Amino acid sequence: MDRLDSSLIALRRILRATELFGRELKQAAGITAVQFRVLQIIAETGQVTAKEIAQRMRVSQATVTSLVDKLVRDGMAVREKSALDRRQTNILVTDKGRQTLSEAPDPLQQRFVRKFSELDDWEQAMMVANLERVAAMLDAEDIDAAPVLHTGDIKRATDA
Amino acid sequence: MDRLDSSLIALRRILRATELFGRELKQAAGITAVQFRVLQIIAETGQVTAKEIAQRMRVSQATVTSLVDKLVRDGMAVREKSALDRRQTNILVTDKGRQTLSEAPDPLQQRFVRKFSELDDWEQAMMVANLERVAAMLDAEDIDAAPVLHTGDIKRATDA
DNA sequence: TCCGTTACTTCGCCTATCGAAGCAACTGGA
DNA sequence: TCCAGTTGCTTCGATAGGCGAAGTAACGGA
């Protein structure tokens, strides 16, 4: 089954690339891919609750606490008690966080964007169709996937 | 750029699927994806040196030591000083390790294999071509990728 | 013999992640 | 009104993966 191997190898290369770029991101921007993803989620709407981050990233609240701790420590985000429901904590992105987001764009995504743009129209269409098909084959259809790459940057909208 | 978004989303779904299945593997087989990958490398030839594992997985030797420690602790592998060069340590897979490998096949890979096999011939060919193209776009061409999926299961043959 | 290199381990450190336990605040009864 | 249960978050203690630096042992050449 030669083509099967080829496709699996290609998939692994794709995974590998995302992993390596996660490391690059960390070195270049001083922020890990996971923290970057948290920052993105915060910045989307300007503020979110810890629970929402946990749900979207599919990690526990305990994990979110520690991730936000690091962002706060590094001045990327701040916590603020919600006035409406004081159990909740709103997490806000700071100027520095916003700056980090804009200055440390995902190199993997950038590379992909650039090369994708260079494709012919029909090639783009075909590639989209194929990637979606592969995703479906991996049974990942119920995933709430925002258009950002990162191994750690993965979430699901509605849970089982 | 609608198609760009679609393709990025599909990619993220693929990454997400691999991550989720890593967690499944851990629960089902009691072994993490990374350790599983180490075990695979050992089992390929029956024995390898720590250095080889480090190179193939692209992690430091210190990391390999700790990974192998866990495999040894769990009875999956054993260390054995090389007779030829006593600086080297050969790592061997045990029966239990072999059993784990065979009984805990990658569910993600299995799913992909099954669905891939159901495709028409021309569909398979097209999918391979597309995946390889995506991998190339991510600049992952120099990667020594064995046909096994797993986020943590990623390596590179020749380094920069 | 001795010095440099190689192979591996140890040590200390970091991040990501979790479950359980704890605490504070909201909410629905009675 | 007040208590009990739920909800949101943090704290605590673990585990895993990962790294660099330092340490140890063995090889190998001069």
Side-chain angles (χ1 to χ4, degrees):
Chain A
M1 188 53 94
D2 203 73
R3 279 202 293 238
L4 219 201
D5 271 7
S6 300
S7 55
L8 287 171
I9 290 171
L11 268 176
R12 288 198 53 246
R13 281 169 58 195
I14 293 168
L15 299 182
R16 168 71 181 173
T18 64
E19 200 191 61
L20 287 180
F21 277 104
R23 295 185 195 174
E24 272 183 37
L25 176 69
K26 186 176 176 181
Q27 293 213 324
I31 190 171
T32 67
V34 171
Q35 286 172 37
F36 192 83
R37 178 62 189 148
V38 174
L39 212 48
Q40 284 184 316
I41 290 175
I42 303 169
E44 264 175 36
T45 55
Q47 71 173 51
V48 283
T49 62
K51 190 185 184 186
E52 192 175 338
I53 296 173
Q55 289 175 335
R56 295 188 51 180
M57 293 187 66
R58 289 279 296 159
V59 295
S60 69
Q61 284 201 354
T63 301
V64 171
T65 295
S66 102
L67 293 177
V68 172
D69 280 350
K70 281 160 203 149
L71 289 177
V72 169
R73 179 197 64 193
D74 297 342
M76 306 285 191
V78 289
R79 285 191 172 91
E80 201 171 76
K81 279 269 173 194
S82 165
L84 301 174
D85 183 339
R86 283 218 280 259
R87 290 169 303 180
Q88 291 187 320
T89 304
N90 289 128
I91 297 144
L92 318 179
V93 62
T94 63
D95 286 345
K96 184 178 174 190
R98 225 172 264 111
Q99 195 181 335
T100 300
L101 278 173
S102 64
E103 287 179 2
D106 182 346
L108 176 59
Q109 180 169 338
Q110 288 217 317
R111 177 170 308 183
F112 184 80
V113 167
R114 176 165 30 85
K115 299 213 173 180
F116 189 85
S117 309
E118 291 167 3
L119 296 179
D120 288 342
D121 192 74
W122 68 272
E123 288 177 313
Q124 291 186 356
M126 192 173 75
M127 187 167 283
V128 170
N130 263 275
L131 284 175
E132 287 180 344
R133 186 152 194 189
V134 171
M137 284 170 66
L138 296 173
D139 252 352
E141 293 203 78
D142 60 338
I143 290 174
D144 162 30
V148 180
L149 294 178
H150 276 314
T151 302
D153 154 36
I154 283 168
K155 64 192 177 180
R156 176 182 279 181
T158 52
D159 202 354
Chain B
M1 188 52 93
D2 203 73
R3 278 204 292 239
L4 219 201
D5 272 6
S6 299
S7 55
L8 287 171
I9 289 170
L11 268 176
R12 288 199 53 245
R13 282 170 57 197
I14 293 168
L15 300 182
R16 168 72 182 172
T18 64
E19 199 191 61
L20 287 180
F21 278 102
R23 295 186 194 176
E24 273 184 36
L25 177 69
K26 186 176 175 179
Q27 293 214 325
I31 190 173
T32 66
V34 171
Q35 285 172 37
F36 192 83
R37 178 61 189 149
V38 174
L39 213 47
Q40 284 183 316
I41 291 175
I42 302 168
E44 264 175 35
T45 56
Q47 72 173 51
V48 285
T49 62
K51 191 185 184 187
E52 193 174 337
I53 296 174
Q55 289 175 334
R56 294 190 50 181
M57 293 186 67
R58 288 281 294 160
V59 295
S60 68
Q61 284 203 353
T63 300
V64 170
T65 294
S66 100
L67 293 177
V68 172
D69 280 350
K70 282 161 200 150
L71 289 176
V72 170
R73 177 197 66 191
D74 298 341
M76 305 285 192
V78 289
R79 286 191 170 92
E80 200 172 76
K81 280 269 172 193
S82 165
L84 301 173
D85 183 340
R86 282 217 282 260
R87 289 170 305 180
Q88 291 188 320
T89 303
N90 290 127
I91 297 144
L92 318 179
V93 63
T94 63
D95 286 344
K96 184 180 176 190
R98 226 172 263 113
Q99 195 180 336
T100 300
L101 278 173
S102 63
E103 287 178 3
D106 182 346
L108 176 59
Q109 181 169 338
Q110 286 216 318
R111 177 170 308 184
F112 185 81
V113 167
R114 177 165 30 84
K115 301 214 174 182
F116 190 85
S117 308
E118 291 167 3
L119 297 179
D120 288 342
D121 192 74
W122 68 271
E123 288 177 313
Q124 291 186 358
M126 192 174 74
M127 188 166 283
V128 170
N130 262 275
L131 285 175
E132 287 180 343
R133 186 150 193 190
V134 172
M137 283 169 67
L138 296 173
D139 251 352
E141 292 204 80
D142 60 338
I143 289 173
D144 162 30
V148 180
L149 293 178
H150 276 314
T151 303
D153 153 36
I154 283 168
K155 62 193 177 178
R156 178 182 275 180
T158 51
D159 204 354

